[in-house]
Amino acid sequence: KKVIAWTDGPESCIWLQNGVWEYDNQTKKPKLLKPNYFARNPRTNEKVDFLNDYMIPFWKRISRAIRAEIPNAIMFIEPHIDLADPQQTEVPNLEGDEVGTGIVWAKHWYDGLTLMTQTTNKLFALGTGTAYIGTENIQKGFGRDISSFHNSTKRIGDTGNGTPILVGECGIPFNMTPEPWLPGQNFDRCNYAMNNTMSAL
């Protein structure tokens, strides 16, 4: 329907203004001019390190802005997930004098194998660097994985003892049941996966 996403027309697009793309009058389509624009830091031309180049400066800036109005505000910060480099650390080095006290690490946690395969296995699951066999070991293993989050937060704040943890995002895929919106469906797989998650928490 050719609905325009910009209230002031395409000319107001910040990426057009920065030369990332242009409108091709001949083809009547947008044309990409800088395909690697988001892969490199525009200030240094180095490969983007999203955590250090963008997330940490954002957390610092937003913390200062909010605390200028609400000095005792509690800041909930959550990691970014870099699927292109899953081995990269997601925990920032944030000193207390940079973000102040009252920081809560709101990390995500999922049963990754269930999430990615959209099915569940009562005998086998993958944890952090290990495999768990059997329902009881799966739940206890997931619980240990979650409890280890505290150790990673010792890089945040000024106490040296880590920051409080809130599991900010977790859940299961509900499409393990075909057509779950229809009445009379069997949700045993979903119930099992949710019980593992809640037991671990």
Side-chain angles (χ1 to χ4, degrees):
K1 296 181 180 180
K2 297 184 178 180
V3 176
I4 295 177
W6 299 277
T7 56
D8 299 324
E11 296 77 14
S12 63
C13 174
I14 189 173
W15 309 123
L16 175 67
Q17 296 168 7
N18 281 272
V20 179
W21 67 280
E22 68 178 6
Y23 187 75
D24 191 320
N25 289 314
Q26 291 184 337
T27 64
K28 306 298 183 184
K29 295 181 179 180
K31 178 181 179 182
L32 183 62
L33 301 177
K34 297 179 180 179
N36 296 318
Y37 182 83
F38 295 101
R40 294 195 169 274
N41 188 315
R43 295 188 179 89
T44 65
N45 202 35
E46 297 291 328
K47 182 181 177 182
V48 162
D49 179 336
F50 194 83
L51 177 64
N52 291 296
D53 290 344
Y54 298 114
M55 291 302 294
I56 288 179
F58 171 75
W59 284 326
K60 291 178 180 178
R61 189 169 65 250
I62 199 72
S63 296
R64 287 194 299 268
I66 291 176
R67 291 213 170 98
E69 302 296 328
I70 311 171
N72 296 322
I74 297 175
M75 308 297 297
F76 292 82
I77 61 175
E78 65 177 21
H80 83 288
I81 308 300
D82 188 352
L83 296 179
D85 187 8
Q87 300 302 317
Q88 184 186 44
T89 181
E90 61 184 25
V91 184
N93 281 315
L94 286 173
E95 300 296 333
D97 58 352
E98 295 174 328
V99 292
T101 57
I103 294 291
V104 176
W105 184 235
K107 182 175 166 59
H108 304 172
W109 184 84
Y110 288 94
D111 170 359
L113 187 62
T114 295
L115 182 67
M116 299 304 293
T117 62
Q118 298 176 1
T119 187
T120 189
N121 189 318
K122 295 185 178 182
L123 297 178
F124 176 81
L126 293 177
T128 305
T130 189
Y132 303 125
I133 307 298
T135 297
E136 183 176 355
N137 289 328
I138 290 171
Q139 293 175 359
K140 289 181 177 179
F142 285 167
R144 287 193 298 271
D145 290 344
I146 294 170
S147 68
S148 70
F149 293 172
H150 179 68
N151 293 329
S152 65
T153 67
K154 292 181 179 179
R155 302 168 60 180
I156 306 174
D158 55 5
T159 67
N161 295 318
T163 64
I165 300 286
L166 173 74
V167 177
E169 182 181 307
C170 70
I172 65 166
F174 279 94
N175 58 351
M176 291 187 285
T177 297
E179 301 178 327
W181 56 87
L182 295 178
Q185 296 296 307
N186 187 323
F187 285 92
D188 285 352
R189 287 184 177 182
C190 296
N191 291 338
Y192 176 79
M194 180 63 82
N195 188 57
N196 281 347
T197 292
M198 298 307 295
S199 296
L201 291 170

